[in-house]
Amino acid sequence: MIIFGWNHFLIRQWLPHELGLTHPDEQADYHVEVRQKYFHVFWIPFFPIGKIWGIRNHADDQLYDIRHDAMTHIEEQNVEPNAPWYSYAGLMIVGLLLLYGMIMA
């Protein structure tokens, strides 16, 4: 049986004042985070399939959607983290196995 699907992991998180959403003196009970969605086979990430932006509430540790006006403000800040190299780990493993097979043949 082949186990495949998609999952996500945390790329980066910011306090609201770092993105200009609140005043630096205000105490926030949440932070903004961006998560990388990826396709996996046997839980090994093969390639990224998108990003999820959300607000993590510290009180209940739940991830909530960002309001449209706040997301527009974040996009104006030009904050767009790149996909980490390990989100391509499965493709790298397959490539190394193919290279090894060609060398040994």
Side-chain angles (χ1 to χ4, degrees):
M1 180 168 72
I2 297 177
I3 300 170
F4 65 94
W6 71 270
N7 206 347
H8 54 85
F9 57 83
L10 179 67
I11 297 177
R12 180 147 185 229
Q13 62 187 9
W14 296 268
L15 294 172
H17 70 83
E18 293 175 320
L19 297 173
L21 298 174
T22 62
H23 193 272
D25 296 334
E26 292 181 36
Q27 186 71 356
D29 59 345
Y30 66 93
H31 61 265
V32 178
E33 60 183 50
V34 61
R35 304 184 74 76
Q36 179 67 58
K37 280 178 59 175
Y38 62 89
F39 174 78
H40 69 82
V41 176
F42 293 112
W43 299 282
I44 299 171
F46 265 73
F47 53 85
I49 55 176
K51 292 186 177 56
I52 303 170
W53 285 85
I55 293 178
R56 173 120 7 227
N57 188 343
H58 295 169
D60 60 5
D61 199 35
Q62 295 293 318
L63 188 64
Y64 296 99
D65 290 334
I66 296 179
R67 291 189 341 225
H68 179 69
D69 59 335
M71 194 63 214
T72 303
H73 182 75
I74 291 171
E75 288 170 353
E76 290 172 358
Q77 302 286 328
N78 291 325
V79 178
E80 185 62 34
N82 295 327
W85 65 269
Y86 47 86
S87 59
Y88 296 96
L91 292 177
M92 287 187 260
I93 291 171
V94 169
L96 289 173
L97 289 174
L98 287 173
L99 182 63
Y100 178 76
M102 289 187 322
I103 290 173
M104 299 306 287

